[in-house]
């Protein structure tokens, strides 16, 4: 998606430790109109596929998932939680994920009642780096015997290898921008 | 909003400790079409007010804030974070909030660059109970010299007093459903 590449070049900043800071439009301040265009593009990529549910993970995935859902016939969005709060039941699927930006491993959970056998699920997230969050979300779907139609990612950092590893397992992964290299002074994309 | 009251009566469950479980449509599984109706109603309530930005807090506020933003001319959404991640700058506003469902006090932060003096801000959240999160969000706005136009809440638990306390300070608070009493067997609303 050229518009996203341009936005990353214009507004993104590379921070130490391989962090691409795009919190001006994607994961702190949300540019709702732009995310709507990204949602439209994800729907185009997955047109022809029946999608029953969008699955994402708190917190940064929720915005793009909810905005994209509009382009998937307002299908429901379920977000995996990173901690058990008092308002969720004790009956949940659980998987472990390592967060790149938080630098910690945490359990992620989804109530069993919100992920069902046979459902066709599209997984949406803002970033794909080492693929740990995506692995965990795919694992939750498999535990529920739901079918992962594919993944829709805003920005994939190709050089961290998660996307290729997951594709090699036969899971469809579509990323709207694929960053192949980045440094303090430049960001390159794989088309 | 009658449709929300009906949905709470139909799908909500009262859990021990004063928890109203509505995670089937609001804060775990998100009913995107229904939240769109809620966003439309918030826009009707605040029609005539210029809104530059919607401010919310991760994670449960993000869905309703992003979906509602469409009805506020696709204005940007900023969500306050509950922990400092590696992709946000060191220059932020900070306030303390006690989470009812997590039962802990945490710092919430917003990067200074995403909240500006003179901006007219609508604060949106899924729940209003003791008002601690709302207090913290209002405090962030005041630190930034932004103007709080008001608050738009999905469900206010009136009996916990936060809403009335904040209204008494002169802040406009609009809640789409106001739960006045709840028990294992019944939920009552204030109209």
């Amino acid at each position: 998606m050229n518009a996203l590449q341009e936005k990353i070049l214009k507004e993104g900043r590379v921070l130490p430790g391989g962090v691409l800071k795009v919190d001006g439009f994607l994961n702190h301040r949300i540019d709702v109109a732009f995310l709507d265009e990204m949602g439209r593009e994800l729907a185009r990529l997955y047109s022809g596929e029946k999608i029953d549910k969008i699955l994402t993970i708190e917190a940064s995935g929720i915005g793009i998932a909810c905005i994209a859902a509009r382009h998937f016939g307002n299908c429901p969005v379920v977000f995996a939680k990173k901690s058990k709060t008092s308002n969720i039941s004790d009956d949940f699927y659980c998987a472990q994920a390592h967060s790149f930006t938080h630098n910690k491993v945490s359990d992620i959970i989804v109530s069993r009642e919100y992920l069902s056998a046979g459902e066709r699920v599209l997984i949406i997230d803002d970033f794909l780096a080492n693929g740990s969050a995506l692995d965990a979300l795919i694992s939750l779907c498999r535990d529920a015997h739901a079918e992962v139609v594919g993944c829709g990612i805003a920005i994939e950092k190709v050089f961290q290898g998660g996307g290729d590893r997951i594709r090699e397992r036969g899971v469809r992964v579509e990323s709207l921008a694929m960053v192949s290299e980045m440094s303090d002074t430049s960001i390159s994309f794989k088309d």
Side-chain angles (χ1 to χ4, degrees), chain A residues 83 130 144 168:
Chain A
S83 64
N130 57 41
E168 278 164 18

Side-chain angles (χ1 to χ4, degrees), chain A residues 173-191:
Chain A
V173 180
E174 300 282 358
S175 300
L176 299 180
M178 300 180 79
V179 177
S180 54
E181 283 184 278
M182 59 185 212
S183 70
D184 288 359
T185 52
S186 74
I187 299 172
S188 312
F189 298 97
K190 177 182 169 184
D191 272 320

Side-chain angles (χ1 to χ4, degrees), chain A residues 81 84-89:
Chain A
K81 301 200 173 202
K84 191 188 169 315
T85 51
S86 57
N87 57 346
I88 97 159
S89 75

Side-chain angles (χ1 to χ4, degrees), chain A residues 46-104:
Chain A
Y46 281 100
S47 64
E49 293 283 5
K50 180 174 167 285
I51 306 289
D52 299 317
K53 184 171 280 177
I54 290 172
L55 177 66
T56 188
I57 180 167
E58 68 177 12
S60 309
I62 300 174
I64 183 167
C66 285
I67 294 170
R70 202 184 142 211
H71 300 283
F72 289 89
N74 275 337
C75 73
V77 170
V78 170
F79 64 90
K81 301 200 173 202
K82 289 178 180 163
S83 64
K84 191 188 169 315
T85 51
S86 57
N87 57 346
I88 97 159
S89 75
D90 285 325
D91 203 15
F92 47 77
Y93 300 108
C94 182
Q96 283 204 322
H98 174 261
S99 164
F100 183 72
T101 43
H102 289 82
N103 193 26
K104 65 174 183 184

Side-chain angles (χ1 to χ4, degrees), chain A residues 22-40:
Chain A
V22 286
D23 66 357
F25 67 92
L26 188 58
N27 47 25
H28 186 17
R29 179 184 182 276
I30 297 173
D31 182 333
V32 171
F34 192 77
L35 264 62
D36 193 56
E37 287 308 308
M38 291 166 60
R40 189 189 309 275

